[in-house]
Amino acid sequence: MYQCRILLHTSTYESQGYVFLEALYCGLTVVCFDVGFAQKSERMLVCSGKTEMIENLKRVLTQDLTNQPILLKSIDETVNEFEQIYFS
């Protein structure tokens, strides 16, 4: 992932989507559908359909992407979420 600029996630299903967190931490811009952990932000473009995904991808490909890491959740927050999923 460190060699990429964009994570294009075309799946219409993702149970959690921790791949999004990994991509953001590696500095990528994420283009995806509203699945898993997807949350609209400057670096996570959540699309409602194929046409919007293509438009967002074209726009991102013309930008100068900096690949600055983003940490949305700490390790403790991530572990707590897993505990809630598996031990609730």
Side-chain angles (χ1 to χ4, degrees):
M1 281 193 182
Y2 284 113
Q3 297 177 353
C4 300
R5 296 183 324 153
I6 300 166
L7 172 66
L8 176 62
H9 189 279
T10 60
S11 177
T12 57
Y13 175 81
E14 181 71 47
S15 61
Q16 289 296 320
Y18 284 105
V19 68
F20 301 145
L21 296 175
E22 181 181 1
L24 291 171
Y25 184 76
C26 291
L28 280 66
T29 296
V30 176
V31 180
C32 63
F33 291 117
D34 189 9
V35 295
F37 184 75
Q39 296 179 351
K40 287 187 179 187
S41 71
E42 184 179 322
R43 298 276 295 281
M44 184 177 288
L45 307 175
V46 181
C47 308
S48 60
K50 181 180 175 181
T51 301
E52 184 180 4
M53 181 173 275
I54 292 169
E55 290 171 3
N56 279 327
L57 184 60
K58 285 179 181 178
R59 185 169 43 82
V60 170
L61 285 170
T62 63
Q63 295 175 346
D64 183 25
L65 302 175
T66 60
N67 283 47
Q68 293 297 317
I70 295 176
L71 182 61
L72 294 180
K73 293 190 179 281
S74 69
I75 292 174
D76 289 338
E77 290 172 314
T78 303
V79 169
N80 287 335
E81 286 187 9
F82 273 116
E83 286 177 347
Q84 290 175 10
I85 293 168
Y86 293 107
F87 300 111
S88 295

